Amino acid sequence: PNPKPQPPDYYETRVFQIKAINDPVIMSLHYQVSLLSLLLLQALALYGSNSAVQSLTQTNFKSLVLDGSQLWFVEFYAPWCGHCKSLAPEFEKAAKALKGIVNFGAVDMTTDQQVGAPYDIKGYPTLKFFGDKKSSPDTYNSQRTADEIVKYVLSKISSTVQERKGEKKTEGGSKQQSSGGEHHKAHAKVLDLKASEFDSQVKNQQN
């Protein structure tokens, strides 16, 4: 079949496009625009690479938070949100105070909206504590200060420990052994260390 007729300037446009690809000036300009876009995205991010708050994305959220056994306190935010910007230094302060105890993470909902989709995120910032029941995290609704955040997270740690021990608090504040307590005791692993074995066992775990 005969080729479809092209407008008079079609071939001139194609030649210009081919030359543009090989033009070092245009390629340099394209690189600078790409670099500027990357720097702009980094500037919009509330937490940098050296932050105690870990950036959580669609790539790492499942492996770190959902599939892991560690406890997480996660902020779902938008970089343009004024309340999120106000929270950032307090969230960072709390993350540093609890470093090594509970993991703090942040999800940018403008780039990774699918991460927060299952958790009914209706506004920013939304803070959720991911304990042992990763499919149903608890929502934080208290004051957005470092002190209040630390107090809340420590209370959630206490509750988690009691649940793992098979205990629960009654209304009067006393502890009650649940039916699963003996099961947990039977499967608890307690290592009896002699003084001579302490360094090799404990320090190796720390390393």
Side-chain angles (χ1 to χ4, degrees):
N2 295 328
K4 182 180 178 180
Q6 302 293 343
D9 62 344
Y10 173 79
Y11 294 103
E12 294 180 4
T13 303
R14 296 293 292 173
V15 169
F16 173 78
Q17 290 174 342
I18 294 173
K19 287 183 178 179
I21 293 175
N22 296 314
D23 190 322
V25 176
I26 294 179
M27 290 298 293
S28 176
L29 181 61
H30 175 74
Y31 172 78
Q32 292 178 23
V33 170
S34 300
L35 182 60
L36 182 61
S37 300
L38 178 61
L39 292 175
L40 180 61
L41 288 174
Q42 292 178 344
L44 289 174
L46 297 183
Y47 307 101
S49 57
N50 295 325
S51 170
V53 180
Q54 183 164 352
S55 177
L56 297 172
T57 66
Q58 192 172 349
T59 303
N60 64 9
F61 185 83
K62 184 176 184 297
S63 61
L64 291 178
V65 180
L66 301 183
D67 294 342
S69 61
Q70 295 182 329
L71 307 178
W72 282 84
F73 193 52
V74 179
E75 174 192 2
F76 297 87
Y77 74 97
W80 46 260
C81 166
H83 293 299
C84 301
K85 293 177 181 178
S86 299
L87 170 65
E90 296 296 313
F91 199 66
E92 179 80 41
K93 191 185 300 183
K96 289 179 179 178
L98 294 173
K99 188 175 182 180
I101 302 172
V102 172
N103 296 306
F104 276 60
V107 178
D108 184 347
M109 291 291 284
T110 63
T111 58
D112 294 275
Q113 189 174 8
Q114 292 183 354
V115 174
Y119 308 112
D120 194 29
I121 308 299
K122 295 180 179 178
Y124 308 125
T126 294
L127 305 175
K128 289 185 177 288
F129 181 84
F130 289 79
D132 287 343
K133 299 176 182 178
K134 299 299 178 74
S135 60
S136 55
D138 295 318
T139 303
Y140 176 78
N141 292 313
S142 189
Q143 297 179 22
R144 296 169 183 165
T145 64
D147 289 341
E148 288 300 316
I149 290 173
V150 169
K151 187 186 301 182
Y152 169 81
V153 172
L154 290 177
S155 71
K156 299 303 294 183
I157 294 173
S158 177
S159 298
T160 302
V161 171
Q162 290 175 17
E163 290 174 2
R164 290 179 179 179
K165 288 170 59 181
E167 297 176 348
K168 59 181 179 180
K169 283 188 176 180
T170 63
E171 292 183 0
S174 59
K175 296 178 182 178
Q176 181 180 1
Q177 192 75 26
S178 70
S179 58
E182 294 303 322
H183 173 78
H184 285 287
K185 285 183 178 179
H187 290 80
K189 295 181 178 179
V190 180
L191 185 61
D192 185 13
L193 297 177
K194 296 179 181 178
S196 59
E197 299 173 338
F198 182 83
D199 287 344
S200 61
Q201 293 288 346
V202 176
K203 291 186 176 180
N204 286 339
Q205 288 291 333
Q206 293 177 342
N207 294 331

